[in-house]
Amino acid sequence: MNVSVGMMLAACLLVAAPVEAARADLAGAPSSDRLAITTVVGTGDAGFAGDGRRAVKAAVGYPQAVATAPDGTLYVLTGLRIRAVDPKTGTIETIAGTGKPGFSGDGGPATKARFSDEYDGLYGVTDLTVGADGTLYVADAGNHRVRAIDPDTGTIETVAGSGGTGPRGSFSGDGGPARKARLSYPRDVAVGQDGTLYIADSLNYRIRAVDKKSGRIETIAGVRHPGDEGSGFFPKPDDDGRGRATNTFVEPTGLTVGTDGTVYFADTDEDRVRAVDPEKDTIVTVAGTGGPYGATGLGEPTDLAAGADGVLYIATNDVFAVDHSKNRVHRLDLDEKRLTHVAGGAPEGALGDGGPPTRAYLAGPASSGSMGIAYGEDGTVYIADARNNRVRAVDKAPSGTRHTRHRTAAETIDTLAGSGVRLGEKRRDELDDTEDGWFYRDVHDLDEVTLDTPGDVVVADDGTVYIADTGNDRVRMIRPGDDTVRTVAGTSETPGYDEMDNGDGGRATDAYLDNPAGLALGPDDTLYVSEDGFWSDGGVVRVVDLDEGTIDTAPGTDIGVERPGDIDVGADGALYVVDTHDDLVCKVRPGGDECTTIADSAYSGESGPSVVRPTGVAVAPDGTVYIADAGAVRVRALDQETGEITTVAGYVTPGVGVSGDGGPATSAQIGSPGGLDTGPDGTLYLTDRKNHRVRAVDPRTGTISAVAGTGRFSRTGPDPTQPGLHHGGGGFAGDGGPAGRAKLDQPGEVAVGPDGALYVADTGNNRIRVIGGADVSARGGTPSAIALVAGVVLLTAVLAGAVLYSRRRRHRRAETSSSSASPSSSAPPPGHGPQAP
């Protein structure tokens, strides 16, 4: 091998080695060895809404129980309704319950049935299970019945329990039809593989079984005469954990059936899980106090789910705990006699979606209800996370879960445009004396342009960047591959805004723009520009024809808009306008002549005020309208079909300070939400102005993370002469380094480019900055450490190869000269000349 080639290959190996090592480190353990928790149902908002929509965008107030069907359907018991999630579409529908308490509906459609409410007795409707034929069974505890919903017809019937109770008449019926038997608050139901229906007849202190063929009911566990409640005759469970099932006192709550027919139940008051063999009439404790498979201190088991291959999942819910650390899910391996912690146990606020389940916060019911769990045939464990108003799923973490789809704080940030010169009054006076005045020229280099409080930035599909240079009353643009900034619209020739002569119909660069605040790209190469009317009595939205270079007032924006701020355009060409002055967001439909209000501060039922002081708007590809609600210090989502508004980010007391990154966005602190934009993967980006950060909300998990900005504050704020800015703000630092370590100063807006790069209007720093993207290095970014090492190693290898090659050539020339000078030396020296193969 040629030495120089060898060294070059070695150099490549040296460069590749750290890359492969990094990949190996990112890959981590095999995906089958890792688990992740995610929200699969619920936005986190209490209430009832969202039928016909994706389950993750539905409001499911206080879900208590979950069940999975053989076809993958997920059933959720929430309030007095049962809802079903379609496994193919992910949409949610109500399949039973009117939402009103009582008892009715048997023989008719389940959607018109009424279930018991916990306020009518000790328990309301409490749990669900699904049989092999798809029948859904409901423990209607407060009505002292078990009811069944036919999956084909949607009708509901009582299959066990007459509904009658009395001081000493709460138990009867063994050996007869289950429908005529008396049950007392049946807390749970389970179905065996042979179709037998098992009932946790809680206040009869029995487990009862209903034969599928005959419909007859029998007791399979519990003493014959435990005494009525209050009689004082309540024998304790057997001390050794073993005995006859039908002669042992039990207090069953959660119930499940293993694949071998063993019936497992949670004995909450005794902090243990027990197993009943109906054939042998035996009972044994398998976990908790007195159990051979687990230590004491299991907590209060409330619900069970039988997994595959001898695995039992146990939900524990301590309703009286302060820190809720006992709200957990455990996995009991019955063969290996090993109990492990699967999910929950984190402190309040750490929702944990997208991360390890053991670092998630589970908030079970605050009442005597269970934290319901269910096991899917694909191995997923579902959790009814009641007080978080969500259904969670614990599953194998997909490969690459350490990689995020959105821009991260580890990516490089650089200044795309802007000199950073602060234009206070003194500085303006100095620049007025220059040849070009304080504004300089209309065409200039990227790093020399003097931007004045840039308010917005948008990026076209071809990569052209448009900037609302608010303080300069202009709109600027940067073409791909161009190192200059040019003016698209705006001039300083007109001292004020004149409605009679505002430049409409003429060249955009001859029109006066009064404080252009927002930008949006429309169809047919148009650019919308909102003017908030800072120097005049009112604002307007203008539209620039980018092909012709002309400007006009946007149709429909002269009615319904007082002071337009941020704007956006939907996929259908509709224009959305924020009017912060009038606390509303309005919409101009294509061809419309008026901006119609779609959200305002008017009272809207149980959800309260829609928006208080909107500052930003972004329309997602699916039509969802995101609104930065600065007055409520939240980001809201408007469903245009239903008119429902939900919170997607922000919860705690507003102010300067950041909390919640890495956790649920709805539990995060936001200083002041400003600009918004959505990526092609649905990621929602927002600027947190007072906290000097850009943050991202993952649509899959609902978690929020920091993308750019340290959140640290400078001792001295920005120039106090700059209009429209908060004082005591951030600073400028970090170009060429990780975005998370950079300093921003009250970033105004954010935009996602076609290459995935993230553009930030760093308003207080008078710059446009860019995070990630293929063209960052060409814009002055700093190469990565690996690239630098690779360059150095390759250069060294090339130089070394060149030197060796040069020496070898000189050596051969010397040998040739020597042989020509000595003709008697006809034989080649050893090691030279033709060689044998």
Side-chain angles (χ1 to χ4, degrees), residues 206-245:
R206 287 172 168 84
I207 297 174
R208 304 174 79 174
V210 180
D211 185 81
K212 182 179 181 180
K213 294 181 179 179
S214 66
R216 295 169 66 88
I217 191 169
E218 293 287 353
T219 295
I220 65 165
V223 296
R224 293 183 180 276
H225 302 288
D228 293 324
E229 187 172 5
S231 68
F233 178 60
F234 287 94
K236 292 293 183 183
D238 48 292
D239 294 333
D240 62 359
R242 298 177 182 272
R244 289 183 56 196

Side-chain angles (χ1 to χ4, degrees), residues 211-403:
D211 185 81
K212 182 179 181 180
K213 294 181 179 179
S214 66
R216 295 169 66 88
I217 191 169
E218 293 287 353
T219 295
I220 65 165
V223 296
R224 293 183 180 276
H225 302 288
D228 293 324
E229 187 172 5
S231 68
F233 178 60
F234 287 94
K236 292 293 183 183
D238 48 292
D239 294 333
D240 62 359
R242 298 177 182 272
R244 289 183 56 196
T246 53
N247 196 32
T248 302
F249 180 73
V250 299
E251 295 181 272
T253 51
L255 198 67
T256 191
V257 184
T259 54
D260 62 353
T262 301
V263 178
Y264 299 93
F265 70 94
D267 195 342
T268 304
D269 286 348
E270 296 297 330
D271 296 339
R272 61 174 74 186
V273 175
R274 312 178 80 182
V276 174
D277 186 330
E279 297 295 329
K280 298 179 180 179
D281 189 22
T282 58
I283 188 169
V284 60
T285 298
V286 296
T289 306
Y293 295 178
T296 59
L298 174 67
E300 297 182 5
T302 61
D303 201 16
L304 307 174
D309 302 325
V311 171
L312 187 67
Y313 291 93
I314 306 168
T316 60
N317 175 38
D318 188 349
V319 298
F320 300 108
V322 176
D323 60 358
H324 305 291
S325 61
K326 291 185 179 180
N327 292 345
R328 300 184 176 193
V329 176
H330 303 268
R331 183 181 189 270
L332 174 62
D333 191 314
L334 295 166
D335 293 331
E336 298 183 9
K337 300 181 180 180
R338 184 176 67 234
L339 186 71
T340 55
H341 173 203
V342 172
E348 185 172 356
L351 189 69
D353 268 352
T358 52
R359 297 180 185 176
Y361 168 65
L362 300 178
S367 66
S368 55
S370 301
M371 184 171 72
I373 57 173
Y375 182 82
E377 292 191 355
D378 61 354
T380 303
V381 177
Y382 297 95
I383 307 168
D385 196 356
R387 279 178 288 171
N388 279 326
N389 298 309
R390 290 172 166 88
V391 175
R392 319 283 291 280
V394 177
D395 201 354
K396 294 177 182 178
S399 58
T401 49
R402 292 194 183 182
H403 298 283

Side-chain angles (χ1 to χ4, degrees), residues 251-614:
E251 295 181 272
T253 51
L255 198 67
T256 191
V257 184
T259 54
D260 62 353
T262 301
V263 178
Y264 299 93
F265 70 94
D267 195 342
T268 304
D269 286 348
E270 296 297 330
D271 296 339
R272 61 174 74 186
V273 175
R274 312 178 80 182
V276 174
D277 186 330
E279 297 295 329
K280 298 179 180 179
D281 189 22
T282 58
I283 188 169
V284 60
T285 298
V286 296
T289 306
Y293 295 178
T296 59
L298 174 67
E300 297 182 5
T302 61
D303 201 16
L304 307 174
D309 302 325
V311 171
L312 187 67
Y313 291 93
I314 306 168
T316 60
N317 175 38
D318 188 349
V319 298
F320 300 108
V322 176
D323 60 358
H324 305 291
S325 61
K326 291 185 179 180
N327 292 345
R328 300 184 176 193
V329 176
H330 303 268
R331 183 181 189 270
L332 174 62
D333 191 314
L334 295 166
D335 293 331
E336 298 183 9
K337 300 181 180 180
R338 184 176 67 234
L339 186 71
T340 55
H341 173 203
V342 172
E348 185 172 356
L351 189 69
D353 268 352
T358 52
R359 297 180 185 176
Y361 168 65
L362 300 178
S367 66
S368 55
S370 301
M371 184 171 72
I373 57 173
Y375 182 82
E377 292 191 355
D378 61 354
T380 303
V381 177
Y382 297 95
I383 307 168
D385 196 356
R387 279 178 288 171
N388 279 326
N389 298 309
R390 290 172 166 88
V391 175
R392 319 283 291 280
V394 177
D395 201 354
K396 294 177 182 178
S399 58
T401 49
R402 292 194 183 182
H403 298 283
T404 54
R405 296 183 297 171
H406 58 71
R407 290 293 166 191
T408 68
E411 295 184 83
T412 302
I413 188 170
D414 277 291
T415 294
L416 172 66
S419 63
V421 173
R422 296 192 183 276
L423 295 175
E425 292 300 323
K426 181 178 180 181
R427 183 58 175 154
R428 289 178 187 268
D429 292 340
E430 293 174 356
L431 295 174
D432 277 338
D433 295 332
T434 65
E435 180 180 353
D436 298 306
W438 60 266
F439 175 66
Y440 289 99
R441 303 175 300 279
D442 278 343
V443 179
H444 47 76
D445 294 337
L446 293 176
D447 57 353
E448 292 182 357
V449 60
T450 304
L451 303 177
D452 190 357
T453 58
D456 201 356
V457 57
V458 293
V459 188
D461 290 339
D462 65 357
T464 302
V465 179
Y466 297 92
I467 305 166
D469 193 357
T470 307
N472 284 323
D473 298 326
R474 285 169 169 80
V475 176
R476 326 293 288 275
M477 80 172 177
I478 305 169
R479 293 193 178 98
D482 194 353
D483 292 332
T484 59
V485 177
R486 302 172 185 272
T487 296
V488 176
T491 180
S492 57
E493 295 300 320
T494 305
Y497 186 86
D498 185 350
E499 292 184 356
M500 300 302 295
D501 186 17
N502 60 8
D504 274 359
R507 288 169 53 88
T509 51
D510 292 337
Y512 180 75
L513 303 179
D514 187 358
N515 231 42
L519 303 175
L521 288 158
D524 302 323
D525 290 326
T526 54
L527 176 69
Y528 290 95
V529 184
S530 69
E531 305 173 54
D532 70 4
F534 184 82
W535 301 106
S536 55
D537 293 333
V540 69
V541 178
R542 317 284 289 278
V543 57
V544 178
D545 186 320
L546 295 172
D547 291 331
E548 300 294 331
T550 56
I551 192 170
D552 275 293
T553 296
T557 61
D558 54 345
I559 300 177
V561 183
E562 180 68 23
R563 289 288 179 90
D566 194 23
I567 53 178
D568 200 8
V569 174
D572 61 351
L575 175 66
Y576 297 81
V577 184
V578 167
D579 189 342
T580 306
H581 180 269
D582 284 342
D583 297 331
L584 61 84
V585 178
C586 62
K587 173 182 179 179
V588 181
R589 292 173 173 79
D593 57 2
E594 183 177 354
C595 200
T596 305
T597 298
I598 59 173
D600 59 18
S601 59
Y603 187 77
S604 60
E606 293 181 355
S607 61
S610 297
V611 292
V612 182
R613 188 166 60 86

Side-chain angles (χ1 to χ4, degrees), residues 666-764:
T666 51
S667 298
Q669 181 183 29
I670 298 176
S672 178
L676 306 171
D677 200 13
T678 56
D681 60 0
T683 300
L684 175 66
Y685 297 92
L686 65 130
T687 59
D688 190 349
R689 291 177 176 176
K690 285 187 178 180
N691 286 322
H692 312 286
R693 276 188 172 180
V694 176
R695 304 168 84 175
V697 179
D698 191 312
R700 301 167 302 169
T701 63
T703 56
I704 191 170
S705 60
V707 175
T710 62
R712 298 174 183 171
F713 316 108
S714 302
R715 292 183 178 179
T716 57
D719 191 328
T721 61
Q722 296 183 82
L725 287 178
H726 307 286
H727 302 313
F732 173 75
D735 269 1
R741 297 182 182 178
K743 286 188 177 181
L744 308 176
D745 194 344
Q746 297 166 66
E749 286 285 349
V750 64
V752 181
D755 60 352
L758 196 64
Y759 297 81
V760 183
D762 193 356
T763 306

